[in-house]
Amino acid sequence: MALDNSQKAKIRRYLGYPDASQLRYDRLEDAMSGLSAEGEVEVEAILASLATLDAQRTSNLSYLNLKRAEEVEFYNGGTALLMQERARLIDELASILGVPVNFPASASGGACLRG
């Protein structure tokens, strides 16, 4: 079963390719259309993991408005670890598709450069 348009839009966003000019990035479009069934399963799993990480990050941000945290224990690096895993998954997605990461979406939703 081929990737649907919503999945392709998510891939473009995670890899930093503009959705409005999708015809300009033929290599990415061809890669998304030419995945094997096994590759599609892998990509779908990565997209699900990325969605989970983004939800966890959003949930973590809700704790920033706490007035009292007697029973809540924070540890350093929680969000940073989520972002490291997110970057790893984006790199893995790019590798499966055989395309470079353009400007990956940052945690804030904008583009960020990675070396």
Side-chain angles (χ1 to χ4, degrees), residues 10 12 16 22 27 30-31 33 35 37 39 48 51 54 57 60-61 69 73 76 90 96 99 104 108-109:
K10 289 174 186 172
R12 288 185 206 102
Q22 59 186 290
R27 185 173 168 193
D30 290 346
S33 297
L35 281 171
D54 287 346
R57 188 190 125 290
N60 287 356
L61 291 176
E73 183 177 337
N76 289 332
I90 289 171
I96 289 172
V99 298
S108 63

Side-chain angles (χ1 to χ4, degrees), residues 18-89:
D19 191 64
S21 59
Q22 59 186 290
L23 296 176
R24 188 173 159 202
Y25 301 101
D26 291 335
R27 185 173 168 193
L28 175 60
E29 298 304 315
D30 290 346
M32 289 189 293
S33 297
L35 281 171
S36 67
E38 296 81 7
E40 288 176 10
V41 169
E42 293 296 319
V43 166
E44 289 169 354
I46 290 171
L47 291 175
S49 295
L50 285 166
T52 299
L53 289 173
D54 287 346
Q56 288 174 337
R57 188 190 125 290
T58 301
S59 176
N60 287 356
L61 291 176
S62 68
Y63 291 117
L64 296 177
N65 293 321
L66 286 177
K67 290 186 179 185
R68 183 176 5 167
E70 294 174 9
E71 305 267 337
V72 178
E73 183 177 337
F74 294 96
Y75 61 94
N76 289 332
T79 301
L81 291 174
L82 288 176
M83 296 311 296
Q84 286 175 351
E85 178 62 6
R86 188 176 191 272
R88 186 191 70 76
L89 288 169

